Amino acid sequence: NKKTITVVGGNLFKIAQEQYGDATQWAAIADANGLTDPQLSGMQTLIIPSASMAANYAGGILGNVE
C-alpha cells in the first residue's frame, strides 16, 4: 500500500511527521525513493511506503531493515 506525493523542496523529517506522525520515520521514505539526504530541493514526486513498512526503520536510521 504505497502512495505518492509531490513536493517542492522541504525535508523528509517534515513529510514523515505529516504522513506517519513520527519524524524519525524519514528513512523509510528516503529508502523507498533512493535518497540519502533528508533535505529536498526542486519538485519531486515521492513514494510514501505504508505505515507498517515505515515501522521497520528504527530510530530513523537508514539500513536498519532486516
Side-chain angles (χ1 to χ4, degrees):
N1 292 342
K2 296 178 190 175
K3 69 178 184 176
T4 60
I5 62 169
T6 300
V7 297
V8 179
N11 65 67
L12 296 179
F13 302 114
K14 181 178 177 188
I15 294 169
Q17 181 64 39
E18 292 169 352
Q19 297 296 316
Y20 306 123
D22 182 357
T24 66
Q25 299 303 318
W26 74 272
I29 300 169
D31 193 44
N33 291 280
L35 302 171
T36 56
D37 188 344
Q39 292 302 118
L40 302 172
S41 61
M43 182 180 287
Q44 296 188 32
T45 299
L46 300 172
I47 296 168
I48 306 298
S50 67
S52 61
M53 286 293 292
N56 292 325
Y57 289 80
I61 298 173
L62 287 172
N64 268 10
V65 177
E66 294 182 24

